[in-house]
Every structure is written in C-alpha cells, then in structure tokens.
Amino acid sequence: MARLPYIEPERADPLTQGVYEKAQARFQMVLNIFKITGHVPALGAKMWEVFFTILQDGHVKWPTKELLILKTVKQGDCLYCVTQHEVVSERLGVGPEKQADLIGSRYRTSPRFTEEERAILALNDEVTADARRVSPETWAEVKKHWRDDQIVEILATIGAYIQVSKFGDSLGVELEPVFYGRSSVLFREEPPKSPAAARHIEHFEHVSRKAAAPHA
Amino acid sequence: MSVVTLVEPARADPSLKGTLSAAEQRFGAIPNFVKALANNPEICRPIADFMLESLRPGQVDWGLRELLVLRMLRATNTDYGVAHHERLARDLGVSPERIADVKADAWRRSPHFTGPERTLLEFVEQVAVDANDVGDDLWARLNAQWRPEQIVEVSMTVTTFLMIGKMGDALGVDDPVLFAKAPQ
C-alpha cells in the first residue's frame, strides 16, 4: 500500500510534468514510481535521467541489461520491479524460461545463456552480496568479454536497480492495475526471502482477484 | 585499484566538459569515481548530475541527510563514500558526537539526536535491512513528524548514495581528497 500520496500530472510542477511526458512517451503510461518522485521535482528529474539512459540500447544491449535488472531486483525481493521487468524483458525477447533460469546459480549451466552473460550475472551476484569482495576470477572472466565502457554500464544498471527497488519498496509504491492478475515468473520459481515481501505478494493477489470479480 | 581505466579530463569525451567541471567545483577535485564513469559518457553524465543534485540543501537539513547517508552505507557494508560523507558532515557543522553515533547502533539511545531524527534513522536502517518491511508504527511516526517531500527526499538520497557506494566498491576506486574544500 502506498504510504504517501502520488503526485498526479495535474498537481505536478512543470519540471515533473516534463518527466511525466517523457515517461508517457517511453513507457505508454506514467507509472506510480514516477508519481512518488513528484514530491521532489529537481531530484526526481535527475534520478529519472539515469533510468531513461539505462532503459535503451547503449554500449550494452537493452535485453542484456534486463537480465541484470531482474537478477538485482529479485535479490531485493522487489515485487514492483520484478513484475514490471518480467514484462519488459519478455517484450525484448527474454522469455519466461530464460527468466526462470536467472534464479540462484541456474544461469551457470543453463544453455539459454552465453558465456558473456554468465560472466556478468556472476558479477551481479557478487556485487549484490558484497560489492567490496568481487573475486579476481570473476573480474577476469568479465574483462575477457566486456570493455571498460560496458563494465561501467553494467555496474550502473546493477547499482541503479538496487537504488530504485529499495526506494520504491520503502515508500510502498504499488503495482498499477494494468499488472493485476499477473503472476511473477521469478517469485513462482523461488518465493521471497522477506516475509514482508511475501505479504505484499498476497496483498497484490487479493487486490487482483477483487478487481477481477468486484461483487464476489 | 580501479578495475577500469580512469579517464583524465584531457582524454575525456568533449561532451563531458560541463559535468567534469561541475564535479571539480563541488568536490575540490574530479573524483576518481567520475573518471571511471567517464569511460561511458552517456552513463557518466546523468549519474554525476544525480549525485551533485543530491549534495545540496534540500527539504531536510543537509547535515542530517549526511548522517542518514552514513547510516545507510554502514548498515549495508558499503565502504565507498563513508570518508567523504563524514568529511562533508563535519564541514557542514555536524558535531563529532553525532557522526560517531551513526557508525553503529548508538543513535538509538544517543542524547545527540531528537525523536524525529531517530525516526528517520530508524527508517533508513529498515530500508537498508529490508525496504519491504517499513511497518505501520514507523510510518505513523514518520507521517506525524515529517512532511511527504522530506520522507521521499530522504529515501531517494540514501538509496542514491547506496548505488554510488556499491558501484565505487565494485570498481575499486578510492577518492582520498574529496571535499578538501568546504562545500559552497
């Protein structure tokens, strides 16, 4: 449940309205996570520039970045981010089977991943566990396949999704009605570690059922 | 030692000139963190801008925000940024006692913090441990003591520096001279 009011477009200041217009053009809707940042227009506008940059082909292809995003936000038990990025990933050609193989260390042996992808998913695991202790072997494997400009983009993707998942969850940002009824691939494969996240999933399922049969 | 090449200003993409100059002005030197990001100008620009926007007066007292960032970094075993935010807090006039009390759990009982400040520290600690689990009681106190824009600013600021800290730690960059000059 959202703990603070969303800033709807009609209440937003001009800077935030500009962000909302860009979000609408890029994602065909203004998601709740955008609307919560309308409380801090200048900071919010700068924050979203990071995400507008990441969520496109860059020095690293967007579908590859989606693998990192899903791995990172699943690690943080973020229902909001996992659900949305499962949808985005599928649109970009990363199907449910490949998404499911992101769980734990399945990606290490799954035939659905390339050596290049395996190297940065191992990096992802180590950064989310303790970024100070990425092993030399992991870096050697990453550097075998990826240039410095790409490594920066890979770490920015992981870091940005640690940021936004904790930010959104801390404020109770809710999935939009367009996602009602959707069951997460990753949470089906592996339930959240956090009891609070498990309660959020139950609540979301309850709200979805109620929306589907309002008079039941 | 940095995992990626540190791009000196003379070698940086010309499109980063404004970003590097703003960083140098704010920090007293271009952080090695920014030089590492400069390998990828499209990524460097928005992250440096977001970082700089987070380091200025806002809805919550800047010195208090620095303490909240420090608590987030400590609670998540993040090293990059701790020394800079301690130095910045000192430069902003935060007492050594308050800085010392956010190193671990002393803030919970410390006489150097007010009740509303402790509520924010409790919020940050919870976000660090499990952001899904900010409970009703804590929210009741947050809403009674702080305005929505202050709560959003705190969450955004501490998670931003968590992102930067995790990236800095992974990149293996060190920035011993940041904030050698007091913030403007």
Side-chain angles (χ1 to χ4, degrees), chain A residues 3-4 39 42 47 53 59 77 131-132 139 143 148-149 152-153 155 159 163 166-167 169-170 194 199-200, chain B residues 3 5 36 39-40 42 50 53 77 79 127-128 130-134 136 139 149 155 159 163 166 169-170:
Chain A
R3 301 292 193 156
L4 298 171
H39 286 285
M47 172 179 149
T53 305
H59 297 230
D77 282 339
R132 302 168 303 177
W139 273 125
K143 296 206 82 158
D148 282 2
D149 55 313
V152 165
E153 192 156 324
L155 288 175
Q163 189 268 331
K166 277 193 176 287
F167 170 74
D169 282 341
S170 75
S194 156
R199 289 196 298 277
H200 293 326
Chain B
V3 170
T5 306
N39 283 287
N40 184 324
E42 294 82 4
F50 186 25
E53 187 65 36
N77 298 317
D79 287 349
V127 176
D130 181 1
N132 280 292
D133 202 14
V134 184
D136 293 342
W139 267 109
E149 61 270 29
S155 180
T159 54
M163 166 181 82
K166 291 288 177 202
D169 279 347

Side-chain angles (χ1 to χ4, degrees), chain B residues 165-176:
Chain B
K166 291 288 177 202
M167 289 180 68
D169 279 347
L171 285 165
V173 288
D174 193 15
D175 272 306

Side-chain angles (χ1 to χ4, degrees), chain A residues 67-69 71-72 119-129 158:
Chain A
L67 300 176
L68 300 169
I69 292 169
K71 192 104 181 98
T72 301
I120 55 175
L121 288 167
L123 174 68
N124 196 328
D125 277 345
E126 293 186 33
V127 170
T128 51
I158 299 167

Side-chain angles (χ1 to χ4, degrees), chain B residues 27-64:
Chain B
F27 297 108
I30 299 172
N32 287 329
F33 176 75
V34 176
K35 290 180 185 173
L37 297 191
N39 283 287
N40 184 324
E42 294 82 4
I43 291 289
C44 180
R45 199 175 308 106
I47 290 184
D49 283 355
F50 186 25
M51 179 165 70
L52 292 175
E53 187 65 36
S54 306
L55 290 167
R56 59 172 76 234
Q59 302 289 336
V60 173
D61 173 74
W62 190 0
L64 174 59

Side-chain angles (χ1 to χ4, degrees), chain A residues 66-74 82 85-86 89 102:
Chain A
E66 284 296 327
L67 300 176
L68 300 169
I69 292 169
L70 281 174
K71 192 104 181 98
T72 301
V73 298
K74 174 63 176 66
V82 166
H85 283 278
E86 284 181 356
S89 295
L102 286 166

